[in-house]
Amino acid sequence: MAKNLYEVVLNLLLPFLMLSIVSSVNYSFSNKRIRLWHWKGLVILFALTAIMSVLRQWRIIRYNQINNIYLLCTAFITGLVYIILVWLYFGFLKKKNDSVLKFVFEIILTVLGLCYAACLMLYKVPTVIFLPMQFLGIGESIFTTMYLLKITGFLCGWLVCILFCIAFYKLMYKSPEKERAAAFSIFYLLSGFIYFVAVIGIINSYYRKKIKIPTGLRKAIPRLITAENAVLLVIIALLIIIALVFFVRHIKLHGEYTNPAEHRLLRRYERDCRRLGAFVLLLAVFSMVDMTAIKKRSTKLVELSPSEDFQLEGKRIYIPLEQVSDGHLHRFSWDNGRGKTVRFIIVQKKGTNFGIGFDACEVCGNVGYYERKNDIVCNRCDVVMNRNTIGLKGGCNPIPLESSIEDGGIVIDTDDLDRESGRF
């Protein structure tokens, strides 16, 4: 439950946060039709995201990691232009009486805001929406306590993100206009760093032969990932501060009143604002707990099974078939002599077919795989492997390892192991 709650909030908090700020900016537009177009655009956006998620899941459309790079780069550009135009609009145009120029600016801002939000939603939502399909192992039923806990964590994560989006939208449109522009600018820069690290990670994992990353930047990837986690905590800390400031701001009455009825209205408005600030504060604090304590609990790795023995003759590793023909996961380790221990696994599939790969994947790194009942499970994301795809490239599968069957055993060349030693 904790792992699925954490995964959903981790992936959806930032897109929903930026969407709420964009919607609050739209609230300030003078043209009612444009404000309505924004909400109609959001309905289309959510429908498009759901359709794209289904098409990707059913593999009706071809989708790979280069599409994520395109989405994030588009988000960087549209977000930057959006910031510039928002400051121009709130700083100068809103005060002028040029209705035509205002109308043009409001249309452009609406399109840019929806485009920016669409890129983030299309990047993150499809990876999250079908997580429940990965909760079940082969032959398992949905009518189990384990599945119920997982689906509960999944739904709670969505609920937190949706409530946060609605509440923060209301908080933002009740705040001064320039504070909305400042909030979008700050969160754009901070989230932009996180998505920049994501782009570098995608290139390094999938396209490093086609797209060259500077050596210094490639070596800094582990530090960037650490900084990425810190930036996410900074974002949540800022949300806590914003909610606190909003709450304190509305402790006292603001505005003049001439009769008791107006006084009651002002008191009610300030009370509603305090409640809204307290609710956002509660959600932000929960998100902080989710990103710290719940994360620590949910990402605790399962201890890997010990490595088994094998025969080594020169650069030739030989493992008898009878040693790995029981249908269970078998883990092996080889030392390259330069301080790197390379792990690989062998799993029997059907008959004399074996899935052979490194104990690591492109997505989750070298955390390895473990056996749970009859399933092979990723140690980081808890995804159950399809045995028939182990040894094939792609997804969360073990990185394929070249091998051959000779003299009643599996033969592996240590040069092939050494070639991927940098992953360990």
Side-chain angles (χ1 to χ4, degrees):
M1 178 177 176
K3 180 185 286 288
N4 302 301
L5 172 63
Y6 164 71
E7 287 291 337
V8 173
V9 175
L10 174 68
N11 283 283
L12 297 185
L13 183 64
L14 286 184
F16 278 60
L17 167 64
M18 303 309 292
L19 178 61
S20 66
I21 302 176
V22 168
S23 298
S24 70
V25 170
N26 176 266
Y27 182 86
S28 300
F29 293 166
S30 55
N31 192 297
K32 293 182 179 179
R33 287 183 301 168
I34 296 178
R35 295 204 300 267
L36 183 60
W37 292 346
H38 170 80
W39 295 110
K40 289 181 177 179
L42 284 186
V43 173
I44 295 173
L45 168 59
F46 285 115
L48 176 63
T49 303
I51 292 170
M52 289 293 293
S53 301
V54 172
L55 294 178
R56 283 176 56 178
Q57 180 67 24
W58 291 351
R59 305 195 185 280
I60 295 176
I61 61 171
R62 185 179 179 182
Y63 193 93
N64 51 40
Q65 291 295 332
I66 196 69
N67 299 104
N68 287 333
I69 295 178
Y70 295 151
L71 285 174
L72 291 177
C73 289
T74 303
F76 291 147
I77 296 170
T78 55
L80 181 59
V81 177
Y82 187 82
I83 288 173
I84 296 171
L85 295 184
V86 162
W87 280 108
L88 287 174
Y89 180 81
F90 285 146
F92 304 101
L93 292 178
K94 191 88 186 284
K95 301 175 183 177
K96 296 186 177 181
N97 295 321
D98 192 338
S99 59
V100 176
L101 190 57
K102 280 185 183 179
F103 182 78
V104 172
F105 255 74
E106 289 175 1
I107 289 179
I108 295 174
L109 284 172
T110 299
V111 172
L112 285 174
L114 288 173
C115 182
Y116 176 77
C119 289
L120 299 187
M121 297 292 283
L122 289 172
Y123 169 57
K124 282 298 185 182
V125 172
T127 64
V128 176
I129 197 169
F130 284 105
L131 274 178
M133 297 182 66
Q134 301 175 0
F135 295 164
L136 287 176
I138 299 174
E140 288 186 356
S141 169
I142 63 172
F143 302 106
T144 61
T145 303
M146 180 64 71
Y147 186 82
L148 178 62
L149 289 174
K150 288 182 177 181
I151 201 70
T152 300
F154 173 81
L155 294 176
C156 285
W158 273 92
L159 180 63
V160 168
C161 293
I162 292 172
L163 288 177
F164 180 83
C165 181
I166 296 172
F168 198 70
Y169 158 70
K170 291 182 178 181
L171 185 148
M172 280 283 100
Y173 79 64
K174 290 178 182 291
S175 301
E177 294 173 343
K178 290 187 178 180
E179 288 186 11
R180 299 177 219 168
F184 185 89
S185 303
I186 293 171
F187 289 123
Y188 165 81
L189 292 174
L190 293 173
S191 62
F193 173 80
I194 292 175
Y195 294 133
F196 169 75
V197 175
V199 170
I200 297 302
I202 292 170
I203 293 174
N204 186 61
S205 297
Y206 295 93
Y207 305 104
R208 54 184 170 184
K209 293 182 179 179
K210 296 180 181 179
I211 305 176
K212 299 298 181 183
I213 301 177
T215 304
L217 183 59
R218 188 174 66 252
K219 292 181 178 179
I221 288 178
R223 294 196 298 274
L224 288 175
I225 293 174
T226 302
E228 175 188 10
N229 296 330
V231 168
L232 184 58
L233 294 180
V234 169
I235 290 174
I236 299 175
L238 286 176
L239 294 174
I240 293 174
I241 293 172
I242 290 172
L244 275 174
V245 171
F246 185 83
F247 180 88
V248 172
R249 178 185 293 168
H250 291 279
I251 291 178
K252 296 182 179 179
L253 291 181
H254 297 83
E256 298 179 355
Y257 56 91
T258 57
N259 56 62
E262 291 181 354
H263 184 219
R264 287 194 297 272
L265 286 175
L266 282 176
R267 288 176 59 188
R268 179 179 178 180
Y269 175 78
E270 300 296 345
R271 182 192 63 204
D272 291 344
C273 287
R274 289 195 299 272
R275 289 176 176 176
L276 177 61
F279 186 60
V280 173
L281 177 62
L282 178 65
L283 291 173
V285 170
F286 178 82
S287 299
M288 179 65 78
V289 173
D290 183 60
M291 292 296 129
T292 51
I294 296 179
K295 174 187 176 182
K296 183 177 180 180
R297 178 180 176 83
S298 65
T299 56
K300 185 178 180 180
L301 301 180
V302 175
E303 185 177 355
L304 299 178
S305 60
S307 298
E308 301 180 21
D309 296 331
F310 55 81
Q311 301 175 27
L312 178 61
E313 299 176 359
K315 292 186 176 183
R316 184 175 180 268
I317 290 177
Y318 177 84
I319 301 168
L321 289 180
E322 58 266 22
Q323 182 178 347
V324 293
S325 296
D326 55 3
H328 294 291
L329 180 146
H330 297 266
R331 195 184 324 276
F332 302 89
S333 299
W334 172 77
D335 190 344
N336 70 352
R338 299 190 305 277
K340 289 284 187 178
T341 299
V342 181
R343 303 191 314 273
F344 61 96
I345 60 173
I346 300 177
V347 180
Q348 185 183 26
K349 295 196 277 192
K350 289 183 180 180
T352 57
N353 292 324
F354 293 87
I356 304 172
F358 290 91
D359 198 20
C361 78
E362 298 281 5
V363 180
C364 296
N366 63 1
V367 294
Y369 301 84
Y370 67 96
E371 194 169 14
R372 186 172 65 202
K373 295 183 180 178
N374 293 322
D375 296 321
I376 308 302
V377 183
C378 175
N379 203 2
R380 184 179 297 276
C381 65
D382 205 40
V383 170
V384 177
M385 300 295 108
N386 182 342
R387 283 176 179 264
N388 294 325
T389 64
I390 294 177
L392 302 179
K393 186 177 181 181
C396 201
N397 280 323
I399 299 167
L401 173 60
E402 291 290 333
S403 63
S404 61
I405 296 180
E406 303 174 12
D407 302 325
I410 296 172
V411 177
I412 297 171
D413 193 324
T414 58
D415 286 339
D416 294 326
L417 293 174
D418 195 39
R419 197 173 294 116
E420 297 290 341
S421 61
R423 299 183 182 274
F424 294 89

